């Protein structure tokens, strides 16, 4: 047997049709007296990207037809795989009749049929068929399948049409549908019903979500999700549209329930656009009918809403920004008029490199405005501010490894205040500061480990002065004391409150970096002033003549684990703030945890003690099972905030997700609530989702 013979168009002229040459390779090829070519033994035929393998192929030249004897395997350029016992098809391998056949789409969905009729127009009809993405073991039924009198596969439209269909679980019929249309696995976006979800909630009762996806062209779509529950009726609309220059997403929730608040709604939207001259425009929209609707329908945990319109431009030499934001408070006992509700801001910054004397010069102009409408002067005060500033900084080597940093800053502001008789209508202010920083990084190479250690003492000295009337402090209420602010000229956020007087920052940083990428760094420091800084909360003693001690450390123990610790404490080791974060990512487990502690403050702003811990974990118990858990606990109040647990199970043909959550928020309008959720997804029909089947063995 010599498998070298190739019958080309010289023997089969009709196979040389417009699209190219057909090739036939077999162990043995003969031509009979009836002008019929017969190929036997390991037969392979190729035409225009389609491949056919069989035990025997006979080509009848007069009928221009191929008769194929199985087992037959056909693979198409579109990813289809067809197996059959026998077939009669055209020489182009496009249309014909296959018996005892099976069609496999995108290596996910298999459809077996007594007969398959293919046409050259992209339609495939399967008679007496059964479709499933489950592994079929022996003669036993799969986990699920859809049986139909006929299935039509539209390759162009990427759709499957079922006639007289019935859904079976382990061979038991569950539901009958006279007509059914589903997307094939290769389709990314298609109109149709998405995966329903069952839920149970103390607030909403027992119900089901039925999302329906509507494709409105190539760049628009709408998802309509009615919620049908025993205590509520909700309609959720999700609209998305994309353009060449941007996108928009808008979610609208309309509800009626047993809370006696009438029609409830929540509108959540966002979008971004690219404008000429490198300008970006984005917006964020958040609007609700009442303070509890977001929590009742598990849409968000936000207790303050901000609707924003922003335009900005980023370039190498600086940026420009214009923004207006509307705030709305959902907190119990807090009024939106006190935030203030409407804030506008303009910024323009230019960076010159190199600047004067080889340093970097930063020029800045900004303005902002706050609008209120409250019953008291403080709650009705409107403020407008405009200012310009300039800053220059330079680092240079001045000794054996010693780095000298020099920095100068100055700014001028003008405040216009209305609706507050206790404040001047117009008040100018000037502020200037100068400082120097000395760094001496010392490097040591470890012998035997190839690790590098760096110890760096840092000392900074700065002086700042202010002329004019100090404005009301609107934006520097709770400053943070950390590694980023230890050696800066101005450690306070915002523009209203500025540092004054003489201050010194002392710090020591140590780090170790190994060749395997593991690093450890520790920073210790303290801030000293010549006098206390008034009108500032006492957090970490940042406004006192001697601040608390600062300790900040970071450990990266390879790619799968990271740990960060930050704490401030006084000379008696009384901790004023502490924060810890853990990230752990392995093949079987993902874990992230956080802890936060802030002591109560009575300085520029009243702040109760905060002590919280949170954890988020995912555990993969093999290729099928997974567990998820989330929890947040308020240690200061000795009460949980939220807890959630979920379990997932999947194999090659089905995905099941079960979740249970408890929200402990208890206010005048929101009660604690427990909810459950269940969703079942049949793999193989999800548009745009690639199934990753879990391995499963068939037991004999």
């Amino acid at each position: 047997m010599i498998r070298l013979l190739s019958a080309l168009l010289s023997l089969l002229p009709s196979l040389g049709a417009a699209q190219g040459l057909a090739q036939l390779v077999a162990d043995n090829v003969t031509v009979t007296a009836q002008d019929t070519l017969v190929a036997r033994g390991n037969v392979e035929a190729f035409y225009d990207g389609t491949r056919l393998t069989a035990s025997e192929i006979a080509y009848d030249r007069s009928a221009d037809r191929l008769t194929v004897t199985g087992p037959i395997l056909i693979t198409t350029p579109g990813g289809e795989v067809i197996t059959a016992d026998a077939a009669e098809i055209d020489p182009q391998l496009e249309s014909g009749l296959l018996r005892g056949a099976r069609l496999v789409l995108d290596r996910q969905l298999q459809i077996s049929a007594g007969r398959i009729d293919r046409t050259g127009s992209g339609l495939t009809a399967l008679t007496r068929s059964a479709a499933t993405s489950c592994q079929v073991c022996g003669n036993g039924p799969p986990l699920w399948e859809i049986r139909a009198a006929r299935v039509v596969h539209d390759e162009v439209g990427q759709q499957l049409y079922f006639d007289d269909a019935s859904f079976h679980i382990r061979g038991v019929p569950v539901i009958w549908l006279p007509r059914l249309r589903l997307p094939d696995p290769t389709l990314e976006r298609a109109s149709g019903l998405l995966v329903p979800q069952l839920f149970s909630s103390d607030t909403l009762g027992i119900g089901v979500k039925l999302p329906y996806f509507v494709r409105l062209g190539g760049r628009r779509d709408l998802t309509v999700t009615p919620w049908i529950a025993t205590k509520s009726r909700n309609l959720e609309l999700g609209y998305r549209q994309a353009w060449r220059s941007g996108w928009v997403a808008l979610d609208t929730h309309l509800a009626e329930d047993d809370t006696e608040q009438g029609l409830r709604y929540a509108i959540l939207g966002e979008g971004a656009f690219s404008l000429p001259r490198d300008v970006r425009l984005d917006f964020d929209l958040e609007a609700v009918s009442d303070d509890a609707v977001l929590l009742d329908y598990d849409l968000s945990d936000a207790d303050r809403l901000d609707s924003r319109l922003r335009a900005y431009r980023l370039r190498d030499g600086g940026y420009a920004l214009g923004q207006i934001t509307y705030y709305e408070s959902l907190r119990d006992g807090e009024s939106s008029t006190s935030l203030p509700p409407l804030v506008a801001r303009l910024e323009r910054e230019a960076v010159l490199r190199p600047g004067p004397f080889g340093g970097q010069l930063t020029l800045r102009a900004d303005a902002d405005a706050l609008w209120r409408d409250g019953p008291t002067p403080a709650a009705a005060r409107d403020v407008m501010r405009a200012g310009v500033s300039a800053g220059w900084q330079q680092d240079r080597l001045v000794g054996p490894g010693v780095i000298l940093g020099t920095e100068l800053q100055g700014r001028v502001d003008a405040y216009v205040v209305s609706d507050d008789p206790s404040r001047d209508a117009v008040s100018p202010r000037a502020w200037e500061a100068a400082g120097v920083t000395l760094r001496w990084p010392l490097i040591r190479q470890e012998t035997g480990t190839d690790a590098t250690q760096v110890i760096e003492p840092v000392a900074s000295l700065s002086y700042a002065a202010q002329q004019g009337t100090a404005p009301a402090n609107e934006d520097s209420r709770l400053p943070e004391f950390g590694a980023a602010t230890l050696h800066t000229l101005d450690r306070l956020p915002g523009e209203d409150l500025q540092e004054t007087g003489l201050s010194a920052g002392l710090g020591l940083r140590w780090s170790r970096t190994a060749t395997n990428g593991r690093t450890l760094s520790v920073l210790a420091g303290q801030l000293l002033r010549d006098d206390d800084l008034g009108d500032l909360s006492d957090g970490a003693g940042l406004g006192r003549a001697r601040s608390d001690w600062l300790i900040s450390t970071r450990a990266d123990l390879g790619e799968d684990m990271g740990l960060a610790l930050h704490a401030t404490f006084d000379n008696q080791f009384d901790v004023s703030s502490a924060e810890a974060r853990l990230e752990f990512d392995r093949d079987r487990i993902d874990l992230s945890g956080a802890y936060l502690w802030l002591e109560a403050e009575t300085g520029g702003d009243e702040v109760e003690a905060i002590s919280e811990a949170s954890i988020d974990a995912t555990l993969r118990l093999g290729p099928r099972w997974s567990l998820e858990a989330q929890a947040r606990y308020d240690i200061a109040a000795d009460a949980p905030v939220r807890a959630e647990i979920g379990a997932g199970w999947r194999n090659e043909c089905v995905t099941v997700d079960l979740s249970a959550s408890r929200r402990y928020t208890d206010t005048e309008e929101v009660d604690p609530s427990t909810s459950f959720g269940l969703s079942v997804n049949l793999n193989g029909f999800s548009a745009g989702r690639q199934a990753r089947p879990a391995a499963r063995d068939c037991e004999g």
Side-chain angles (χ1 to χ4, degrees):
M1 304 289 287
I2 304 176
R3 195 171 184 270
L4 298 175
L5 184 59
S6 178
L8 303 178
L9 295 181
S10 57
L11 292 176
L12 302 175
S14 62
L15 294 182
Q19 296 184 359
L21 301 178
Q23 291 184 336
L24 181 67
V25 181
D27 291 336
N28 181 272
V29 178
T30 60
V31 179
T32 66
Q34 290 78 24
D35 203 14
T36 299
L37 183 144
V38 180
R40 298 184 178 89
N42 298 315
V43 182
E44 296 185 32
F46 306 89
Y47 184 81
D48 199 26
T50 300
R51 177 185 178 187
L52 181 150
T53 62
S55 59
E56 180 179 311
I57 292 180
Y59 173 64
D60 186 348
R61 184 173 182 179
S62 60
D64 193 25
R65 205 70 174 165
L66 293 175
T67 301
V68 188
T69 303
I72 301 169
L73 175 63
I74 301 174
T75 58
T76 69
E80 289 184 343
V81 177
I82 302 174
T83 62
D85 298 330
E88 294 182 4
I89 57 178
D90 66 353
Q92 286 76 34
L93 308 181
E94 293 180 345
S95 61
L97 170 64
L98 299 93
R99 300 185 182 279
R102 185 186 303 269
L103 172 65
V104 181
L105 301 176
D106 200 31
R107 296 184 300 175
Q108 299 181 55
L109 181 66
Q110 55 178 319
I111 307 175
S112 59
R115 168 175 171 169
I116 295 181
D117 294 279
R118 290 176 57 86
T119 66
S121 58
L123 295 177
T124 301
L126 301 96
T127 305
R128 300 188 306 279
S129 59
T132 184
S133 58
C134 301
Q135 184 173 346
V136 181
C137 298
N139 296 324
L143 179 60
W144 67 264
E145 64 179 342
I146 301 176
R147 299 179 185 178
R150 188 179 70 160
V151 178
V152 176
H153 178 219
D154 183 357
E155 298 179 22
V156 178
Q158 298 173 289
Q159 299 285 334
L160 292 167
Y161 299 91
F162 294 79
D163 293 337
D164 192 14
S166 57
F167 183 77
H168 293 241
I169 298 178
R170 288 297 185 189
V172 178
V174 176
I175 188 173
W176 173 80
L177 297 170
R179 295 287 186 273
L180 179 64
R181 178 182 62 84
L182 294 171
D184 79 10
T186 63
L187 183 60
E188 295 183 357
R189 298 172 67 246
S191 298
L193 186 67
L194 302 181
V195 180
Q197 181 180 2
L198 300 175
F199 66 89
S200 174
S201 169
D202 294 344
T203 306
L204 308 179
I206 300 174
V208 60
K209 299 180 184 179
L210 300 171
Y212 190 88
F213 181 82
V214 182
R215 185 177 182 270
L216 303 174
R219 298 183 179 180
R220 295 181 300 164
D221 57 57
L222 176 67
T223 303
V224 182
T225 308
W227 297 26
I228 304 173
T230 55
K231 297 182 180 180
S232 67
R233 283 74 52 198
N234 184 23
L235 179 63
E236 182 177 319
L237 302 174
Y239 178 79
R240 302 183 304 174
Q241 183 167 355
W243 296 269
R244 290 180 179 271
S245 59
W247 57 272
V248 167
L250 182 64
D251 292 326
T252 303
H253 306 264
L254 304 174
E256 287 186 350
D257 48 39
D258 296 344
T259 58
E260 299 181 355
Q261 298 194 39
L263 179 63
R264 309 177 71 186
Y265 66 85
I267 302 175
L268 307 174
E270 58 181 343
F273 301 90
S274 296
L275 303 180
R277 302 178 63 85
D278 299 329
V279 176
R280 295 278 296 177
L281 176 68
D282 61 33
F283 74 90
D284 183 11
L285 176 63
E286 298 177 346
V288 296
S289 59
D290 56 84
D291 295 349
V293 64
L294 293 180
L295 290 176
D296 286 347
Y297 287 89
D298 200 20
L299 302 177
S300 172
D301 289 333
D303 56 3
R304 282 177 177 169
L305 305 182
D306 58 323
S307 298
R308 181 190 69 241
L309 178 63
R310 178 177 63 177
Y312 63 94
R313 181 176 67 184
L314 300 176
R315 288 183 174 177
D316 293 339
Y319 72 92
L321 169 70
Q323 176 177 300
I324 184 168
T325 307
Y326 178 77
Y327 293 96
E328 182 179 359
S329 176
L330 306 181
R331 295 184 179 182
D332 194 22
E334 182 179 67
S335 172
S336 298
T337 58
S338 65
L339 293 179
L342 195 60
V343 178
R345 185 168 182 84
L346 294 173
E347 297 181 21
R348 177 69 174 95
E349 182 175 286
V351 180
L352 303 180
R353 305 186 187 92
F357 308 105
Q360 174 179 295
L361 179 63
T362 302
L363 302 176
R364 181 185 177 91
D366 50 38
D368 48 41
L370 315 176
W371 286 275
R372 294 184 178 90
D373 186 17
T376 64
R381 180 174 60 242
D382 298 333
V383 181
M384 290 186 290
R385 182 200 61 84
V388 294
S389 65
W392 175 85
Q393 63 181 17
Q394 184 185 51
D395 292 334
R396 64 175 60 185
L397 193 65
V398 297
V402 178
I403 301 174
L404 172 64
T406 307
E407 187 173 2
L408 302 173
Q409 286 189 21
R411 68 176 298 116
V412 177
D413 296 292
Y415 284 79
V416 178
V417 180
S418 59
D419 297 331
D420 188 354
S422 64
R423 295 282 176 177
D424 295 336
V426 179
S427 57
R429 183 194 63 178
W431 178 84
E432 59 277 343
V436 293
T437 303
L438 286 176
R439 303 176 182 271
W440 193 13
L442 303 173
I443 302 176
R444 174 178 175 266
Q445 191 76 31
E446 295 183 6
T447 58
T449 62
D450 293 330
T452 302
Q453 295 187 34
V454 178
I455 186 169
E456 182 183 31
V458 184
S460 61
L461 182 66
S462 63
Y463 179 79
Q466 179 177 273
Q467 297 81 37
T469 304
N473 182 17
E474 303 268 14
D475 56 8
S476 301
R477 297 285 187 171
L478 296 173
E480 289 189 25
F481 181 37
T485 60
L486 181 58
H487 302 291
T488 59
L489 292 182
D490 186 12
R491 301 169 182 88
L492 308 180
E495 291 84 15
D496 293 344
L497 185 62
Q498 300 286 340
E499 290 200 38
T500 57
L502 187 66
S503 63
L506 302 176
L508 181 66
R509 185 189 300 272
W510 173 85
S511 64
R512 181 182 185 274
T513 303
T515 55
N516 57 7
R518 298 188 176 186
T519 62
L520 175 64
S521 64
V522 180
L523 170 69
Q526 190 178 41
L527 178 65
L528 307 176
R529 297 184 184 276
D530 62 344
D531 197 2
D532 290 348
L533 188 65
D535 196 22
L536 185 66
S537 63
D538 193 52
L542 189 58
R544 299 197 304 261
R546 182 184 294 270
S547 75
D548 288 350
W549 288 95
L550 166 68
I551 295 292
S552 182
T553 181
R554 172 73 188 183
D556 292 320
L557 307 177
E559 298 181 354
D560 53 6
M561 185 173 180
L563 176 65
L565 300 173
H566 172 90
T568 56
F569 52 88
D570 59 18
N571 292 334
Q572 286 73 42
F573 296 98
D574 292 330
V575 178
S576 56
S577 67
E579 183 179 3
R581 294 185 180 275
L582 172 66
E583 299 288 342
F584 184 77
D585 185 2
R586 285 285 179 89
D587 293 338
R588 296 179 62 89
I589 184 172
D590 294 340
L591 176 66
S592 64
Y595 171 77
L596 176 65
W597 154 256
L598 293 176
E599 68 175 355
E601 298 181 1
T602 58
D605 200 11
E606 297 286 340
V607 178
E608 296 181 356
I610 298 175
S611 180
E612 287 190 0
S614 63
I615 188 171
D616 188 345
T618 300
L619 179 62
R620 289 173 285 276
L621 305 174
R624 297 185 188 175
W625 283 97
S626 65
L627 297 177
E628 296 183 358
Q630 298 178 3
R632 181 181 168 195
Y633 192 86
D634 188 342
I635 302 175
D638 193 20
V641 178
R642 178 182 284 271
E644 182 174 351
I645 188 171
W649 181 87
R650 70 170 300 162
N651 63 7
E652 76 283 357
C653 63
V654 67
T655 299
V656 181
D657 292 308
L658 177 64
S659 64
S661 64
R662 173 71 174 174
R663 174 177 47 77
Y664 296 88
T665 307
D666 190 2
T667 66
E668 292 183 0
E669 296 189 8
V670 179
D671 296 324
S673 175
T674 302
S675 60
F676 301 91
L678 173 64
S679 65
V680 180
N681 182 35
L682 303 181
N683 299 333
F685 292 115
S686 299
R689 291 179 56 186
Q690 182 72 26
R692 291 184 174 89
R696 181 162 67 99
D697 296 329
C698 292
E699 299 179 358

